[in-house]
Amino acid sequence: MKTKKFLWLAMSVVALLLTSCSGDDEETSVDPTGISLDQVTLSVAVESSKTLVATLEPTGAKGTITWNSSAPNVASVVNGVVTGLSEGTATVVAACGTFTASCVVTVTKKPVDPSKYPSLQGSDYFLFVLDGASYETIKANLAADFRPDDVNKFLYVWSGTMEGGLSSGLSFYGESEGWTSLKVTNVGWSGAGLNIGKVGTTDMKRITDNPDDYYFHLALKGKDTSPLSYAFLLDAASGVSAKFSIGSTPFMDNGVALPVLGSFTRDGEWSEIEISMKDIIAKNPSFRYGNAVTDVNIFSFLVGGTEGATLDMDAAFIYKKKK
């Protein structure tokens, strides 16, 4: 009998201890009275992701949070992870019951990866044609930006000989931004020139003083119907232009055959052309840039006299290649 009584007392003590532990650990449920996000605006690039953090109020509140995007084709959201899908704006909403919090998400272009393109890894860039996203990768090494702004810098077409073409598809550096596309409308001396106007003087003397270090870069996209060659001109405001052809035959300019310094394929894909300034000067020995280049057609091109012929051009600049 004493043994039974002892066991009964021991079991009672254990039961009491278990009851006491259970009571100490029991959590008190707190209903949410609101929800907030750690950011009210967010910028994310296409194919990149960033995370939004939602917090229930008051502290300790429990509840299920759901996520929604107003434009799922622009930005998706899963458990707060926002992924950019296409350029545009979307509103991401976090909700718990009747409580909501929102964030305006701006999806920007996918950044250009300069490691894929040696021509974006140089320095001392003098720009004629370049898309905005690629510009961001080289702007720290920019010497001069001659791209048209319709204020002081203009792309002039000779006597209405050309009109805008169709710049569909990706640019040379894989961007959705358009490039320069022109089509011949009148048979004759068709072409255009980038006039920098009176935008102050630009010192370009170091280019022709050190021609081994600098290259003229250009991308062309042609088809079977493309002209056999195009003519390109660099003007230094000295009355002497550097003239050369890119294509399979010399371009005839008023009876003068311009030397061929590069070629391009006609498969509808971009061809990259790089020509040393040393080679350009060798064919144009009187050409020299000065330290006061202004109010000139800094970059010009001729397409020829075939109506309907097109010029699709991108990534035109002079730069110092990375060694």
Side-chain angles (χ1 to χ4, degrees):
M1 295 296 295
K2 290 183 179 179
T3 302
K4 289 182 179 180
K5 183 176 182 180
F6 173 77
L7 290 174
W8 182 82
L9 288 173
M11 292 176 64
S12 298
V13 171
V14 171
L16 180 61
L17 290 173
L18 290 175
T19 302
S20 299
C21 289
S22 176
D24 289 343
D25 290 342
E26 187 175 318
E27 295 184 1
T28 302
S29 177
V30 178
D31 293 330
T33 59
I35 187 173
S36 61
L37 290 174
D38 62 334
Q39 300 176 76
V40 294
T41 60
L42 183 69
S43 179
V44 61
V46 171
E47 296 184 13
S48 295
S49 298
K50 291 185 179 179
T51 301
L52 290 173
V53 178
T55 303
L56 294 177
E57 301 165 353
T59 301
K62 302 294 182 182
T64 300
I65 299 173
T66 59
W67 297 86
N68 182 61
S69 171
S70 65
N73 61 319
V74 174
S76 65
V77 58
V78 178
N79 295 329
V81 179
V82 180
T83 301
L85 301 177
S86 63
E87 289 182 74
T89 303
T91 299
V92 168
V93 177
C96 182
T98 60
F99 304 108
T100 62
S102 62
C103 175
V104 177
V105 177
T106 301
V107 181
T108 59
K109 291 178 180 292
K110 180 182 178 181
V112 176
D113 182 358
S115 67
K116 296 180 180 179
Y117 304 99
S119 57
L120 294 178
Q121 299 173 35
S123 60
D124 219 22
Y125 286 82
F126 296 82
L127 301 184
F128 306 134
V129 180
L130 189 66
D131 68 85
S134 300
Y135 166 80
E136 291 297 319
T137 70
I138 59 93
K139 67 180 181 180
N141 295 306
L142 182 68
D145 188 353
F146 298 128
R147 295 177 300 169
D149 59 9
D150 293 332
V151 178
N152 294 307
K153 297 169 289 185
F154 301 87
L155 180 62
Y156 289 120
V157 174
W158 308 150
S159 303
T161 57
M162 305 187 78
E163 65 181 8
L166 181 63
S167 57
S168 61
L170 299 179
S171 69
F172 172 70
Y173 291 119
E175 292 300 302
S176 58
E177 227 175 297
W179 57 87
T180 299
S181 180
L182 294 169
K183 181 174 68 173
V184 176
T185 56
N186 296 317
V187 176
W189 192 50
S190 60
L194 173 54
N195 188 283
I196 60 174
K198 297 184 183 299
V199 295
T201 60
T202 300
D203 184 358
M204 301 178 72
K205 188 173 183 292
R206 58 187 179 274
I207 296 175
T208 46
D209 280 353
N210 304 281
D212 289 341
D213 295 336
Y214 289 88
Y215 284 76
F216 171 76
H217 182 279
L218 181 70
L220 292 174
K221 182 163 66 171
K223 297 182 180 179
D224 291 337
T225 55
S226 300
L228 293 176
S229 62
Y230 302 106
F232 293 93
L233 295 79
L234 303 175
D235 199 330
S238 61
V240 177
S241 299
K243 302 180 181 181
F244 52 93
S245 304
I246 294 179
S248 57
T249 62
F251 188 96
M252 299 303 296
D253 180 22
N254 289 328
V256 177
L258 303 184
V260 176
L261 295 183
S263 62
F264 65 98
T265 58
R266 291 169 175 80
D267 58 1
E269 302 297 328
W270 288 109
S271 292
E272 182 175 35
I273 299 113
E274 287 203 328
I275 307 169
S276 168
M277 289 302 298
K278 180 181 179 180
D279 292 339
I280 291 176
I281 292 175
K283 297 298 184 180
N284 300 269
S286 299
F287 175 75
R288 291 292 187 278
Y289 280 125
N291 56 10
V293 178
T294 186
D295 199 20
V296 294
N297 290 329
I298 193 75
F299 174 60
S300 306
F301 44 89
L302 306 175
V303 181
T306 302
E307 188 172 354
T310 61
L311 171 68
D312 288 329
M313 175 179 63
D314 194 20
F317 48 79
I318 297 172
Y319 79 119
K320 184 183 290 187
K321 291 185 70 170
K322 181 180 179 180
K323 295 183 178 180

